[in-house]
Every structure is written in C-alpha cells, then in structure tokens.
Amino acid sequence: MITAKARAVDGPDQSFRAAEIKRRDLDTHDILIEIKYAGICHSDIHTAHGEWGEVNYPLVPGHEIAGIVADVGSEVTKYKVGDRVGVGCMVDSCGECVNCRKGEEQYCLQGNIPTYAGVDKYGEPTQGGYSTHIVVTEGFVVRIPDNIELDAAAPLLCAGITTYSPLRRWEAAPGKKVAVVGMGGLGHMAVQIAHAMGAEVTVLSQSLKKKDDGLQLGADSYYATSDPETFKKLAGTFDLIINTVSASLNMDAYFSLLTLDGTLVNVGAPGEPLSLNVMSLIGHRRSFAGSMIGGIRETQEMLDFCAEHNIAPKIEVISADQIDEAYKRVLASDVKYRFVIDTSTM
C-alpha cells in the first residue's frame, strides 16, 4: 500500500484536517500519479457538506487532478513515468454496457466510480485529489498537452469538460447565439470555449461586476439578470443556453429567452429541485436538457481543443491550509474564477 498525505473532512460542519490515506498497490493496468495540483469544484463543497446525500466520512474531495506519472503497472501501455496527466470526476466504470462502449463512461448503466465519495471495484472507498498521490486505472487517465500549465490544467478536468461537452453536442458554432448563465468557475470556461467554437456569446449574470472579465474572455455582450428589462430585451434570442448556476432560478424566465427549437442545458447542480411551467417549453418547441461531465475520449478532445485555442481557466493557487477559507469564498462568489490547491503544501 502507498501512503499519501491528504486533507480530509469528518462531517458536514467540520473543518479540513491533515490526514494520511492509503492508496492501493498497482494492479497491472494501474498508474500511480504524483498529484501536483487539485482544483476546488462546487461539487466538492456540496459533497463535503452532505448536501447531495449520505457521505461516508472521513472524506477527501477533489476531482480536478493534474500531476506526473510516478509509476506504472506491468501492462500499462498508454503512459510512462514522467508523463503529464490528469484525472477528472471518475476513475472507473463497468466498461461493458452500451454507454461505456460508446465512450460515454459518465453514463455507465452500472454507475461510474466517482473519484471520491464512491466505492471502487476492490470494495474500498474512493478518495480524491486533495492529496499527494492517487492510483487510477490507465483507461481513466488523460494526457495534459505540453502548452497547458499543470495548475491551469486541473480545473479543465471538471469545469472544462462540463461546459465543453454540451457546447459540442448542441453545436455551438458560427451563426449560433449562445448564452452562458453565471460567470463563475464553469461559466468563465463556457464563455471561452463557446467563443473559440465561433458562436456569438452572451453572459447572463446577476450583476455587471464581472462584465469586463466576460468581454475579455470572449463574450460579445453581457447582461444583468437582476434587471427585469434584460428578459424583455432578449426574449426569443438564443439557440442555446448553458446554465452553470448551482442554485434555484426562475426557469420559465430563462426559457423565454430561447428561440424556436432552442435548448437550455443545465450543468449546474443545485441542491434543491427546480420547478417549471411546461407551457414555457411547449409554446416554442423548446427543450430543457441536462449534461454531466464527459467521457474519457471527449475529455482528451477537450484538453487538445483548449491547447489549440490557448484556453485556460483563471485561477488562484492556494495552500492546503486555505481550503476552508476557499470554500467560504466560493459560496460568497468571491473567486476569479477557480481555486487550485498546491498539493506540495499537504
């Protein structure tokens, strides 16, 4: 067994503490990764606070992982020691169901194995990237292009793929009008990616305080949703809306912004149910969809796309001692735009 330093939380109202966790010995197709950086995702906070169901504490969150291959199993062919690699929101799946065979492992019919707060095929709880090392089967590891710095690469493994996947699936492209709801960790990635795909991009944010950032990242326009005139002015405008907000919104108001046959895709995951009037969809043949991360093949595609277009998240690197403070700041929307933990401080 391999011992890794980590930061763990013991309950929904507890602070993070220094811990040591065990990583399994390498199986034939396993890779040992020395983690260099781990992003802080809103999902980490929901899970650590017990907002998405029962949690088996102690918990080590973190599914935005960037590091270096430290060792490989005897039958590993994809990677070698020294390679720059990443791990996202899942570390395994059944590999046999129709969705896995399509390369959509995130929708595994048996349930994918999440990077943390899950149980692996050996019956052990999974622990995430707020640690110095992790062992992952090679099929769930992706290669980080050389021109993406490791600290900036970490958030791409969740925030990047979570926004890239629906933008690609619903064909953000020249001639399409795309709105991004929320200018946070996910939203600021969606703006950059949609712009690089050639779409006309609008940010819909509660206020205009991040307007300059949004325009600098590629948005063509920026509106405050706190202004009722926004919804009147933009009615029937957008082919695609990506909602990145992890909070309850007036969904009918946002549906009114869609064109005929337009689609609103939810990638934010609020802790409470959303409500809607189905007439908001029926009236203009609009669609309401959801999207969850992406498969491993698509995640590699996203990384290569970001490398080609020089897309990177805006990050604030912190030490492990600052995790609790970072959680509070995320909840207060006081981050531009992703916290990344330097795991050498574990």
Side-chain angles (χ1 to χ4, degrees):
M1 300 289 282
I2 300 158
T3 300
K5 294 180 179 179
R7 292 298 167 109
V9 63
D10 294 313
D13 301 314
Q14 301 297 307
S15 298
F16 278 87
R17 61 173 175 83
E20 287 191 347
I21 58 175
K22 298 294 184 182
R23 299 298 194 184
R24 67 175 182 265
D25 291 329
L26 295 186
D27 208 337
T28 55
H29 287 280
D30 281 344
I31 292 175
L32 172 64
I33 300 169
E34 181 183 355
I35 301 172
K36 297 297 186 180
Y37 297 97
I40 291 179
C41 176
H42 209 133
S43 299
D44 300 349
I45 301 174
H46 283 303
T47 306
H49 289 175
E51 295 169 353
W52 283 352
E54 186 175 346
V55 177
N56 182 22
Y57 297 101
L59 173 73
V60 177
H63 57 209
E64 297 181 339
I65 299 168
I68 303 294
V69 175
D71 199 2
V72 298
S74 60
E75 296 182 24
V76 168
T77 59
K78 293 183 178 180
Y79 303 100
K80 64 183 185 303
V81 172
D83 283 349
R84 306 165 80 249
V85 294
V87 176
C89 301
M90 52 186 172
V91 291
D92 212 343
S93 70
C94 80
E96 299 176 353
C97 72
V98 62
N99 292 346
C100 285
R101 292 199 303 271
K102 288 180 180 178
E104 302 278 13
E105 300 93 345
Q106 74 275 32
Y107 302 123
C108 176
L109 296 177
Q110 301 300 317
N112 71 69
I113 297 176
T115 305
Y116 64 85
V119 177
D120 67 20
K121 63 184 178 183
Y122 303 97
E124 297 296 324
T126 57
Q127 301 287 10
Y130 297 8
S131 58
T132 55
H133 296 79
I134 192 169
V135 174
V136 182
T137 186
E138 67 176 323
F140 283 77
V141 175
V142 289
R143 187 178 304 278
I144 296 174
D146 289 340
N147 66 331
I148 301 179
E149 297 294 333
L150 286 180
D151 54 358
L156 296 178
L157 279 304
C158 178
I161 186 58
T162 295
T163 51
Y164 178 89
S165 185
L167 287 167
R168 179 63 78 201
R169 178 171 178 76
W170 278 275
E171 299 180 338
K176 292 289 186 73
K177 293 184 178 182
V178 175
V180 176
V181 182
M183 184 64 185
L186 292 175
H188 92 291
M189 290 305 309
V191 169
Q192 295 180 78
I193 293 169
H195 173 73
M197 290 177 173
E200 181 181 325
V201 184
T202 297
V203 176
L204 302 174
S205 186
Q206 189 172 17
S207 73
L208 298 178
K209 67 180 182 180
K210 300 176 183 177
K211 181 177 180 178
D212 289 345
D213 289 350
L215 297 178
Q216 186 271 327
L217 290 173
D220 297 283
S221 54
Y222 198 111
Y223 291 89
T225 56
S226 56
D227 181 356
E229 291 300 313
T230 291
F231 291 90
K232 296 177 183 178
K233 182 175 182 178
L234 299 178
T237 295
F238 301 109
D239 301 292
L240 175 63
I241 299 175
I242 304 294
N243 178 23
T244 71
V245 175
S246 293
S248 181
L249 299 177
N250 179 351
M251 301 308 300
D252 297 305
Y254 288 90
F255 293 145
S256 75
L257 304 180
L258 291 169
T259 60
L260 176 68
D261 291 325
T263 301
L264 188 154
V265 183
N266 232 76
V267 296
E272 62 280 346
L274 299 176
S275 62
L276 61 92
N277 183 339
V278 72
M279 296 303 295
S280 300
L281 300 175
I282 289 175
H284 288 77
R285 204 164 57 207
R286 295 162 173 151
S287 298
F288 184 28
S291 181
M292 184 177 73
I293 55 172
I296 300 303
R297 181 177 62 239
E298 190 175 42
T299 301
Q300 187 64 63
E301 177 185 302
M302 175 275 304
L303 286 168
D304 295 339
F305 180 90
C306 289
E308 178 184 353
H309 294 277
N310 296 312
I311 294 171
K314 305 299 182 183
I315 62 172
E316 182 176 334
V317 178
I318 63 170
S319 73
D321 290 336
Q322 296 174 286
I323 295 173
D324 291 306
E325 177 189 353
Y327 273 30
K328 293 175 183 177
R329 287 181 56 191
V330 170
L331 294 174
S333 299
D334 179 26
V335 55
K336 290 187 175 182
Y337 283 90
R338 206 66 157 183
F339 286 115
V340 174
I341 305 164
D342 178 351
T343 59
S344 70
T345 63
M346 289 290 169

